[in-house]
Amino acid sequence: MLLTAALALVCTVAPGFFTTFAQVIDLSGNVVDPLKTEGNKAVVLVFVRTDCPISNRYALEVKRIAEKYAPDKIKVYLIYAGADETADAIQQHLRAYDYNLAALRDPNHQLVKTTGVKVTPEAAVFVQGKQVYRGRIDNRFVAFGKLRPAPTTRDLEQTLEAVSKGRTIMRRTTTAIGCFIS
């Protein structure tokens, strides 16, 4: 019992190394561990909020990436990290942005702590239970309120392309611009 508690504590302190204790809930209230990569080459966690205009601007891009890499067995989850976001509000958000992705709630910030994410939208990619990427989806946003007409670097997609091609991936982090996760 003490060993399990110690491992769970290590999980929240050392992002990306111990991933088996990061459990969150689906919209029906069932406990889920999205970090289990069984049957998938990778798992992508995209942290979003219903009320974050920056993460909402990325809805089309997130859907495009999820559809592009689904045949390569890369699973994409939307992670709602706001403790105040109800299942009903999330379902409305999914409908409003035409998301057809699995959505999970992280009200206690277990995944936030495990991954080290700070803002929405921000992505974390896991391959065989190890975090290989954390950061922005692309570089469209230069700073809060300042954006390019189109991205010049697609960081998340570059990582997923390497995974889909079976290339060796070095752990990488980029700085995401978005709404802070409190």
Side-chain angles (χ1 to χ4, degrees), residues 14 18 27 71 74 82 97 103 122-123 157 163 175:
F18 296 97
L27 299 183
I74 295 175
Y97 288 91
E122 190 166 0
E157 194 165 5
V163 170
T175 301

Side-chain angles (χ1 to χ4, degrees), residues 73-132:
K73 299 203 180 281
I74 295 175
K75 175 75 173 170
V76 178
Y77 290 96
L78 294 175
I79 308 298
Y80 290 83
D84 58 338
E85 294 190 291
T86 65
D88 288 340
I90 292 168
Q91 288 171 338
Q92 285 181 330
H93 186 254
L94 295 171
R95 282 191 299 277
Y97 288 91
D98 197 29
Y99 274 123
N100 191 21
L101 300 171
L104 302 173
R105 295 176 61 226
D106 186 22
N108 297 321
H109 291 175
Q110 286 188 320
L111 285 176
V112 169
K113 293 171 188 170
T114 298
T115 60
V117 300
K118 304 280 187 243
V119 301
T120 64
E122 190 166 0
V125 178
F126 289 82
V127 175
Q128 296 177 348
K130 301 288 185 193
Q131 187 173 335
V132 297

